[in-house]
Amino acid sequence: MSQLDSKPPAGNEFSRRVWTSIFRNPLSPETDRDRKLLVLDSLILHLHPSTVPEKTLRFTLTWGLGGLAAVLTIVLLVTGVLLMFTYTPAPEQAYNDMLTLQTQVWFGQLVRNLHHWSGNAMLVVVFLHMLRVFFTGGFRQPRQFNWILGLTLLFLTVAANFTGYLLPWDQLAYWAITVGTGLVEYIPGVGRWIQTVILGGPEVGAATLLNFYSLHIALIPLGLMAIMSFHFWRVRKDGGVVTPRGPDEPVETKLKRVVTIPNLVLRELTVGLVFIAALLLFSMLVDAPLEALANPDRSPNPAKAPWYFMGIQELLLHFHPFIAALVIPGLAIGALFILPYLDPDLDSAGVWFRSVKGRRMSWVAVALALLITPLLIVADEVLLDFAGWLPSLPTVISNGLVSLALLGLLLIGFYDQMKRRFAATNCETVQATFIFLLVAFFVLTVIGIWFRGPGMTLMWPWDVAAALVEP
């Protein structure tokens, strides 16, 4: 076995014993055997296999998204701990702590910027990671349960962002959380009770801030770390990431494998350092938002939820709240969880967008969603009025179930026509439908953020900006 590069002098027996008790294997291994042992004996690296298929090292297969999520988790933990030293979770102090952090604490603004933008970046990265797994068929047997773990991590990331959103205690945070938690109220029977438990009372206040702070710094990070470790371990036990291949390439049974060190670890380190540098530069140039002190008596117009809930808030303008806030999100989340068990098609694993035909169908789905979604929104604003046309029915039916049934018919028609016209398989058609709904939700989010002005009126973005300027 090769010697440690930084090994203490042989004459210093005590130092040698201390060193070898900590590092049992060479830190600079020279043989493949030593490299494998270093992976197996490392607290962090043992989550990797000792060797990996060479083809899975292509950057365009994973885009490093799983590793970036881990890097962002570390950045968030470090910056979060630093912020805890200057923050008090009390309404009378929280906002002043933000001002103190920005003006009196060395690098305080930078640390807050890093934490804020890392949280938003992690939400985007984890979501893109989920899409990458879906579009390469990485959720199929034997990786079904790891898909479930990944979805759980995505929802925990949303919860971490949502609970942290309130902590600055400014107008933006206060009213965004007020709108966001208001969605829970529409759960039949127990909605108002759950809302009261979350808020610690009938409205956002001191108890809410303490609840969100406790969840944000303790329970959610513990859940993220535990499930993330389990997720990485399952990736290894399930045979690693799917092996990339072209649409016409057969599945390879014998793959050339290379040692994890340096082939995989060096790539991960490079991508992580480049991303940290970019994140640091962005945080130096763009400050995290901080508006005026929260004022429960002065609601902004419009009061909007956090950006990642704006698609749901936009749905509230077109459907009954029970349908928009519970039924549609519930159906979407349920479909994501059962997706790996619906179609055991293993022939497309590792192929981006399933096949050449699947790629063409994807472009068609994107184009149709970009065309149909804005048209339906405008039609609902100008023409459609199911509640007025069916005044004898409860609004949950006229503006809820009727609209939902029509939407369901639209999706069934889309699925049937795509499958017929392209002579597609089930997995190709399911993928096209998924893309159609994904792009539609993206359009809803964009419209909710940039095309809704005072009173949530639909208007052009420049008109929104002009209307929001105070006289």
Side-chain angles (χ1 to χ4, degrees):
M1 184 178 291
S2 60
Q3 298 298 312
L4 295 173
D5 293 345
S6 53
K7 180 179 177 180
N12 191 340
E13 183 65 19
F14 178 78
S15 299
R16 187 189 65 81
R17 290 177 181 175
V18 172
W19 183 267
T20 55
S21 72
I22 301 173
F23 304 105
R24 298 180 179 180
N25 294 302
L27 294 182
S28 299
E30 299 177 357
T31 67
D32 284 351
R33 179 178 180 276
D34 290 343
R35 295 185 183 100
K36 293 177 182 178
L37 287 174
L38 182 59
V39 171
L40 293 174
D41 292 341
S42 170
L43 176 65
I44 303 299
L45 295 178
H46 84 281
L47 293 173
H48 296 80
S50 56
T51 62
V52 294
E54 187 175 30
K55 291 184 69 173
T56 63
L57 296 177
R58 295 179 186 174
F59 181 70
T60 52
L61 172 65
T62 65
W63 300 98
L65 295 170
L68 291 181
V71 169
L72 285 168
T73 300
I74 295 172
V75 173
L76 286 166
L77 288 173
V78 173
T79 54
V81 169
L82 293 176
L83 291 172
M84 288 171 62
F85 287 107
T86 60
Y87 183 80
T88 304
E92 63 274 7
Q93 188 61 37
Y95 186 78
N96 289 332
D97 287 343
M98 291 294 102
L99 298 178
T100 300
L101 186 73
Q102 294 182 168
T103 58
Q104 299 181 29
V105 178
W106 280 18
F107 302 106
Q109 181 69 70
L110 178 61
V111 172
R112 179 172 179 251
N113 292 348
L114 278 170
H115 192 76
H116 176 86
W117 297 122
S118 295
N120 284 271
M122 184 170 175
L123 187 56
V124 174
V125 166
V126 174
F127 182 72
L128 291 177
H129 179 59
M130 182 203 73
L131 294 183
R132 196 279 304 169
V133 173
F134 176 81
F135 290 133
T136 57
F139 58 90
R140 303 195 185 280
Q141 186 180 356
R143 301 176 177 86
Q144 300 102 315
F145 183 65
N146 218 19
W147 168 265
I148 305 300
L149 294 177
L151 288 178
T152 305
L153 288 172
L154 173 61
F155 295 131
L156 281 174
T157 303
V158 173
N161 273 270
F162 187 64
T163 52
Y165 210 91
L166 180 64
L167 302 188
W169 201 253
D170 62 347
Q171 278 285 82
L172 176 66
Y174 183 93
W175 289 103
I177 298 303
T178 299
V179 173
T181 55
L183 301 177
V184 181
E185 183 181 349
Y186 298 108
I187 300 176
V190 297
R192 189 171 294 276
W193 176 79
I194 294 176
Q195 184 187 42
T196 302
V197 171
I198 294 173
L199 298 180
E203 60 185 15
V204 177
T208 312
L209 183 59
L210 186 58
N211 287 350
F212 276 44
Y213 180 74
S214 302
L215 290 170
H216 188 73
I217 70 166
L219 294 182
I220 294 176
L222 286 174
L224 276 171
M225 294 300 294
I227 298 177
M228 186 176 289
S229 300
F230 189 29
H231 183 66
F232 288 155
W233 178 77
R234 282 299 296 250
V235 170
R236 173 183 172 182
K237 291 301 181 181
D238 291 340
V241 299
V242 293
T243 304
R245 58 190 178 92
D248 299 323
E249 291 183 38
V251 178
E252 297 185 45
T253 55
K254 293 184 178 181
L255 297 169
K256 179 182 178 182
R257 301 183 71 90
V258 294
V259 290
T260 299
I261 299 176
N263 295 284
L264 175 60
V265 173
L266 186 59
R267 285 172 169 81
E268 291 177 331
L269 182 62
T270 302
V271 172
L273 290 176
V274 170
F275 187 79
I276 289 175
L279 180 64
L280 183 61
L281 179 62
F282 185 83
S283 299
M284 293 169 64
L285 298 175
V286 183
D287 288 340
L290 184 67
E291 295 189 359
L293 176 66
N295 184 356
D297 298 323
R298 185 175 180 270
S299 171
N301 186 15
K304 294 186 178 183
W307 65 268
Y308 37 86
F309 286 151
M310 280 307 302
I312 297 178
Q313 188 175 2
E314 180 66 23
L315 282 175
L316 285 167
L317 301 175
H318 307 286
F319 291 89
H320 185 276
F322 171 68
I323 302 297
L326 183 65
V327 174
I328 293 178
L331 290 174
I333 292 171
L336 287 174
F337 272 99
I338 66 173
L339 181 65
Y341 306 99
L342 292 178
D343 186 4
D345 177 18
L346 301 179
D347 294 336
S348 61
V351 180
W352 274 98
F353 298 100
R354 309 293 187 265
S355 63
V356 174
K357 185 189 301 179
R359 295 173 186 178
R360 292 200 301 267
M361 294 173 67
S362 299
W363 283 114
V364 172
V366 169
L368 288 175
L370 290 175
L371 174 65
I372 293 174
T373 308
L375 288 178
L376 288 177
I377 291 174
V378 173
D380 188 56
E381 289 279 328
V382 178
L383 301 175
L384 303 180
D385 183 15
F386 292 110
W389 296 341
L390 303 170
S392 61
L393 295 177
T395 55
V396 69
I397 297 177
S398 61
N399 198 37
L401 295 179
V402 171
S403 302
L404 184 63
L406 292 175
L407 179 62
L409 289 174
L410 173 65
L411 289 178
I412 292 173
F414 174 84
Y415 184 94
D416 181 69
Q417 288 299 310
M418 292 293 284
K419 190 169 185 178
R420 288 174 180 270
R421 291 182 178 275
F422 287 91
T425 63
N426 286 333
C427 75
E428 290 169 340
T429 315
V430 167
Q431 176 185 254
T433 306
F434 173 84
I435 292 173
F436 180 85
L437 291 173
L438 177 68
V439 175
F441 188 76
F442 175 78
V443 172
L444 289 172
T445 302
V446 169
I447 289 176
I449 294 174
W450 286 295
F451 288 80
R452 291 292 178 181
M456 296 301 286
T457 304
L458 188 64
M459 55 179 63
W460 294 110
W462 48 87
D463 293 330
V464 173
L468 295 179
V469 174
E470 295 184 358

